[in-house]
Amino acid sequence: FFAPMMPLWQQVLSWGLLLWPYLQVGGQGNLSDYPCGDTCKYTGFLGQKTAMYPFIAKRNDCPTTMKRSLIPIRPPPSPPRRIPSHMLRDFTQDGEVSLMHRYLSEVVTVTNTTWDVPRHCSALFPSPVGAFRCTKDSSKLPYELECCVLYTLLQRHASSIIGKRGLIVGSRIPWVECMLLNIQGRGLKGRGAAELITAEYGPIIHNEPKLKTY
């Protein structure tokens, strides 16, 4: 059975009336006032076995979940370097997930990021990009496996990159820029993209004429 499509204002009104009993007290009190019950549990269920993980059906309390989502939470002044002890059980699915500690802060500051693009490219790619081999030269790349997958993909579509303009969203180290600026293809004329635009939260100062940053 398919009901006729309602106008948008009727849909909004219908959902508003449906959710109003759940939302009218939202934003009040503390999270401890609205325990999330089964939603936040990882043990104590009779799960159905599957090929990989047991299938678990939880009894979710929708009114409480909606109220919890509307309570404003003040974030800490800086991200913690270790998972807080009271959150460790939830983060690790009751201890089922092993942890490896690594802390990386990418808080945006007024400090400029400076790129010496030719130096970065020569350090990341010891051999010319056109002759680069993932299995041999990829140890200096920031994400070894992922970089190789991306490089292989870009190399396969070099004809769609050489002489074109491209956009990169988010970049702290110009490894993608190095690939795109220098990529070559067998039997293709030219080398690399004609122009790149990198969009990043913090300001970047660089020395590459074919690169613009915002």
Side-chain angles (χ1 to χ4, degrees), residues 73-91:
I73 300 176
R74 180 177 297 177
S78 60
R81 292 181 176 269
R82 298 278 182 177
I83 300 175
S85 57
H86 66 284
M87 297 181 175
L88 188 60
R89 178 182 173 187
D90 292 337
F91 268 95

Side-chain angles (χ1 to χ4, degrees), residues 20-29 34 63 66-68 70-71:
W20 174 248
Y22 301 157
L23 302 180
Q24 56 185 339
V25 296
Q28 303 176 7
Y34 306 103
M66 297 298 293
K67 293 172 186 177
R68 286 173 61 89
L70 294 178
I71 296 177

Side-chain angles (χ1 to χ4, degrees), residues 106-128:
E106 294 188 338
V107 176
V108 178
T109 65
V110 296
T111 305
N112 295 329
T113 298
T114 302
W115 286 353
D116 184 345
V117 177
R119 185 181 63 83
H120 273 293
C121 293
S122 62
L124 293 173
F125 300 96
S127 58

Side-chain angles (χ1 to χ4, degrees), residues 108-174:
V108 178
T109 65
V110 296
T111 305
N112 295 329
T113 298
T114 302
W115 286 353
D116 184 345
V117 177
R119 185 181 63 83
H120 273 293
C121 293
S122 62
L124 293 173
F125 300 96
S127 58
V129 175
F132 181 75
R133 295 293 180 270
C134 276
T135 56
K136 179 181 179 182
D137 304 323
S138 56
S139 59
K140 293 185 179 181
L141 295 175
Y143 312 100
E144 185 171 344
L145 176 60
E146 291 80 0
C147 290
C148 285
V149 171
L150 178 60
Y151 173 79
T152 303
L153 179 65
L154 295 177
Q155 193 72 45
R156 185 177 301 170
H157 298 280
S159 60
S160 299
I161 298 172
I162 296 174
K164 306 294 178 59
R165 302 176 67 210
L167 170 66
I168 300 169
V169 180
S171 184
R172 300 301 299 246
I173 301 174

